[in-house]
Amino acid sequence: MSRYGADSALVSCILGMMGACTASGASAQDMPAGDGAISVQKRPRPELDPVPIRFGGFEALPSAELRTAYDDNIYAGNTNKVDDALVTLSSGIAARSTWRRHAVSLNATAGLTRGLSQNNENTNTYDVLAGGQLDIGAGTQASLRAEYSRAYEPRGSVGDTTLRGPRIAYNTLELGVQLEHNAGRLLLGAEASLDTFHYGSYRVAGAQIAQGERDYRTWSTSLRAGYAIGPGIAAFVEGSYNKARYPDETTSLDRSSDGYSVRGGVQFGVTRLIRGRAAIGYQNQRYDDPAFPRIKGLDFAGSLEWNPTKLMTWTVEAKRTIQRSPLVGVAGIRQSRYSGKLDYELRRNVILTTRLDQTVSDYAGTQRVQRDLAGSLGAEWLLNRNLRVSAQGGFQRTRSDGSGGRRFDRKRVSVSLRYAL
């Protein structure tokens, strides 16, 4: 990560009880401090970090990237595997204000991917994110966010239902508002958001397949409160409520639902070497149609970052969520994710990264349980302020219990060249 926008947000992100960035100015003795615990990826490198273009009270950082990849099982199938090479050309710009009070930002990206032999892998993506922060008074900030994007369901994911057919495209609109207030040792926060997903149709053997039954809207609100109980440690409690609706449901089954989650935990940064966050609680999602079972039980989220040396960062994370299901006959999926990552600075301008992820997806009301294991090893070479080269190799292993499950193995390698003005 470049210095642009990284070090200024680091400490404020640590202070946020939900892990969201705030502009709180809490003192080190009141809240978890992160001064010396800067990870390998977030550490500033003044001689190598891109220098943004400055104009008036704003600065911007344009960039472009060319990526080539090879996948030995492009459709994530168990039999009759098909391999292909992919070429992706993408560009983006990150702009923000440099005012002393208040802030606005704009980030935009666009990408074009083409398969050398498989036209089903051709995609056009984009994303536009606008944000702003209003400093209302001492210790109080309000933030607004709006994002619109076009993306595709990843091959082999729970949302990839066409198997060897065209990629499933969807557009999202996400709107959010957040309020934070820091009163000494006490930090209060509230958030509200609206997310909409619209799925496009696709064509198979000359027939147009509509995806309107997958369109949905979600409203959510959350409240949180944290208190610094000692140097470098804070306790917090948080609660959220959500309402999901499927406006174009075409079957007799209604997957609309309401749910809530309540958690409590601690966030710490006791030493210069380690910081983390752990929360545990209860989640409950009730579906309008009695044919679908309620999803309820243990809720948890945690992360730990350890910097044993300035050249090494270990990161572990665990989280449980309730996901919507792409299948009409299944309303929800309880998903548990576990991951571990190691970043190592081999040289000042060479960074090695390896990670391992395990995801368990339990399809509510069925016997289907899908387990995905993924791993990767990569390297990034920072040639100068403007140019960097990356290489990565990885694998995915998916196994399922119950009917309708998927089983496959795939490997992928990629090389990319990124240029920042």
Side-chain angles (χ1 to χ4, degrees), residues 117-136:
S117 64
Q118 302 298 310
N119 292 335
N120 283 336
E121 299 309 299
N122 296 348
T123 62
N124 303 308
T125 61
Y126 56 81
D127 180 87
V128 179
L129 170 62
Q133 177 177 292
L134 179 64
D135 298 322
I136 300 174

Side-chain angles (χ1 to χ4, degrees), residues 233-248:
I233 186 169
F236 63 89
V237 61
E238 56 194 18
S240 64
Y241 172 80
N242 72 84
K243 180 189 292 287
R245 294 293 179 264
Y246 289 79
D248 299 318

